Amino acid sequence: MKKDITKILGIKYPIFQGAMAQISKYQLAAAVSNAGGLGIIASGGMSEEQLREEVKNCKKMTDKPFAVNLMLMAPNIPDMIKVVVEEGVKVVTTGAGTPKKYMDTFNEAGIKVIPVVPSAKIAKKMEDIGAVAVVAEGSEAGGHIGELSTMVLLPQVVAAVDIPVIAAGGIALGSSIAAVYALGAGGVQVGTAFMLAEECPIPQNVKEFVASTEEMDTVVTGRNGGAPVRSIRNKMIEQYIKWERENVPREQLEELTMGSARKAAAGDIENGSVMAGQASGLVSEIKPAKEIIETMFNDARETIKNLKVNF
């Protein structure tokens, strides 16, 4: 049996709050941690000073474990790691690269490292360098995604490693938790559902936009450039799709999307990139993070209890 992620991290529920750039800030992270999950501060797009302030504010709001997500391709990543170490953060999730060359630093500081992975091969490499768990994120997720769906990716990652595997992508219901546990998951990571948390620091109109989304309203852009991103369709996304089909220069596409995540987080749902996953079609109520977590796990227990299968 693989180790229990709740015991490894000291959390009540095996649920991570997704690291959503410009969205996953201390208010949301603290609320999720206080509710028994693992809140995560997304450092993408932040300066070292901003990250330090986020961590300090999170500590003021919770005495429970929380994490910082590090985008390893960021040019200031050594300084961001320095902040994490100096501020005593004990859990780090990583994306956009391998944490291999920083593992000695993390280990010396007693920091548990949990990379987000798109394949079983990479998951095994992360286990070999000392990761305590991995997040297997399927293409249903919002933001930057890989090619495999959660249903296909998850069991292959589970088979490849002996550390806990956290399932991500398309999870917003208790029945979804039950399903990924059947595939071998040791926990879940949820992003889109937490966009509707009362504590999520995005404007009300953005939450209502996500809540009104139906199952076919997200779309993946950027495949041609090798950087696929899932967002909710809006004016800017439709323009991007049109230009992408017309093979306009990459610079023109980059100019269109410049600062789009920041715009969306500030309330511009037409010209910003609202990076929500396909699970946006499953959520429609704005409620406290605690209620989101407890409802999901209560429903998961009921699903498992009532599951009757005849083959």
Side-chain angles (χ1 to χ4, degrees):
M1 292 292 292
K2 298 180 182 182
K3 293 181 179 178
D4 186 338
I5 195 65
T6 61
K7 290 183 171 59
I8 291 173
L9 302 181
I11 56 180
K12 180 179 179 180
Y13 294 102
I15 183 169
F16 293 12
Q17 162 248 309
M20 300 169 283
Q22 308 296 329
I23 295 172
S24 298
K25 297 187 176 181
Y26 74 90
Q27 300 96 323
L28 178 58
V32 170
S33 290
N34 284 332
L38 182 72
I40 300 178
I41 296 170
S43 69
M46 291 184 185
S47 66
E48 304 91 271
E49 293 76 17
Q50 288 172 322
L51 177 58
R52 193 180 299 276
E53 192 66 19
E54 287 285 319
V55 172
K56 287 181 180 296
N57 285 333
C58 198
K59 287 178 181 177
K60 292 175 183 177
M61 295 182 68
T62 184
D63 60 357
K64 302 292 192 297
F66 66 91
V68 168
N69 174 262
L70 297 171
M71 299 302 287
L72 298 172
M73 289 180 64
N76 64 341
I77 197 65
D79 293 325
M80 300 295 266
I81 292 173
K82 183 180 179 183
V83 170
V84 167
V85 171
E86 290 176 349
E87 293 300 324
V89 175
K90 292 306 178 184
V91 184
V92 160
T93 65
T94 66
T98 174
K100 182 177 181 179
K101 67 180 181 180
Y102 306 114
M103 289 302 290
D104 286 345
T105 300
F106 290 135
N107 290 334
E108 288 169 8
I111 296 172
K112 297 178 175 70
V113 179
I114 306 175
V116 178
V117 300
S119 72
K121 182 178 180 180
I122 293 176
K124 181 58 180 171
K125 289 182 178 180
M126 296 301 99
E127 180 182 35
D128 290 344
I129 66 172
V132 300
V134 291
V135 177
E137 184 177 72
S139 58
E140 299 94 325
H144 295 275
I145 58 171
E147 291 296 325
L148 297 178
S149 71
T150 304
M151 180 70 73
V152 174
L153 172 65
L154 177 60
Q156 295 185 72
V157 173
V158 169
V161 300
D162 293 320
I163 54 178
V165 179
I166 311 304
I171 301 167
L173 304 174
S175 55
S176 305
I177 296 176
V180 296
Y181 263 77
L183 294 173
V188 295
Q189 178 169 287
V190 173
T192 301
F194 283 125
M195 293 179 75
L196 300 191
E198 289 181 357
E199 301 90 345
C200 184
I202 55 176
Q204 184 73 10
N205 72 313
V206 181
K207 295 181 183 181
E208 292 173 354
F209 183 54
V210 175
S212 68
T213 302
E214 298 180 352
E215 71 270 20
M216 298 298 290
D217 288 343
T218 68
V219 63
V220 178
T221 56
R223 289 195 189 278
N224 292 351
V229 177
R230 184 179 298 283
S231 307
I232 299 175
R233 290 180 182 272
N234 61 8
K235 178 181 175 182
M236 187 275 288
I237 293 295
E238 293 293 352
Q239 181 64 62
Y240 190 105
I241 292 170
K242 179 176 182 294
W243 281 354
E244 202 170 28
R245 287 172 180 162
E246 295 171 354
N247 293 316
V248 303
R250 185 173 179 177
E251 293 75 18
Q252 189 172 333
L253 292 172
E254 290 177 350
E255 183 177 350
L256 177 67
T257 59
M258 187 71 67
S260 58
R262 197 177 302 276
K263 290 178 184 176
D268 189 344
I269 59 175
E270 286 302 324
N271 302 297
S273 180
V274 184
M275 297 183 191
Q278 290 180 325
S280 56
L282 298 173
V283 294
S284 59
E285 294 182 56
I286 299 169
K287 48 192 176 184
K290 186 175 189 291
E291 185 177 343
I292 292 173
I293 292 173
E294 291 179 349
T295 298
M296 288 181 70
F297 279 94
N298 287 337
D299 289 350
R301 294 186 193 100
E302 284 300 308
T303 298
I304 295 169
K305 178 181 175 182
N306 297 324
L307 188 61
K308 297 174 183 175
V309 181
N310 294 308
F311 292 113

